Amino acid sequence: MTTLPDDDTAAGRWTRLVTAVSALVGGAMLPGGVVAVRVTLADTRSTLASCEAWVATSARTWMRRGEIDVDGVSMPDLERALVAAGFAFPLTEESRPRWRVDRNNGTTYTLDVTRARA
């Protein structure tokens, strides 16, 4: 799991999240590649229980690269952290992140992440 030293302030939590996202997603991404960020919700709102990064090892095989500490983090917080770390993701027609329902009766979602274009 990618974590940093504790700083319980809002700014500290934000910095820790962006740094963890940057390290794990960036470290897993091959040039021109895609990393799948997979989250599981903790409740019926958007609070996250877990967040994992996965990379394609072939056309049909995915490998888990690690987990990001998302204690107290929401889906929108994670989306903003991905952008702040220099990543991009596909959007819907309404300009919302295009999360795919993955499993577990709608509590696990996957978002494809790429490097933002300069």
Side-chain angles (χ1 to χ4, degrees):
M1 181 181 306
T2 302
T3 60
L4 296 173
D6 285 336
D7 176 354
D8 203 25
T9 66
R13 288 189 302 271
W14 173 251
T15 300
R16 195 168 53 248
L17 177 61
V18 173
T19 302
V21 164
S22 181
L24 183 58
V25 175
M29 190 172 295
L30 299 174
V34 174
V35 171
V37 175
R38 186 174 180 200
V39 300
T40 301
L41 297 180
D43 55 32
T44 57
R45 297 180 310 224
S46 65
T47 304
L48 301 178
S50 67
C51 177
E52 302 171 329
W54 291 75
V55 294
T57 57
S58 70
R60 295 184 194 198
T61 307
W62 287 83
M63 180 174 72
R64 183 180 179 273
R65 291 303 301 256
E67 189 171 335
I68 297 169
D69 181 5
V70 289
D71 184 35
V73 173
S74 68
M75 284 176 82
D77 293 336
L78 180 61
E79 294 160 4
R80 287 188 291 275
L82 286 163
V83 171
F87 301 107
F89 37 80
L91 300 174
T92 65
E93 290 180 11
E94 296 82 24
S95 298
R96 298 179 53 116
R98 188 177 296 153
W99 289 94
R100 295 187 312 275
V101 177
D102 200 355
R103 64 179 179 148
N104 295 331
N105 300 316
T107 61
T108 302
Y109 297 85
T110 301
L111 181 66
D112 294 331
V113 178
T114 59
R115 292 201 188 279
R117 296 180 191 245

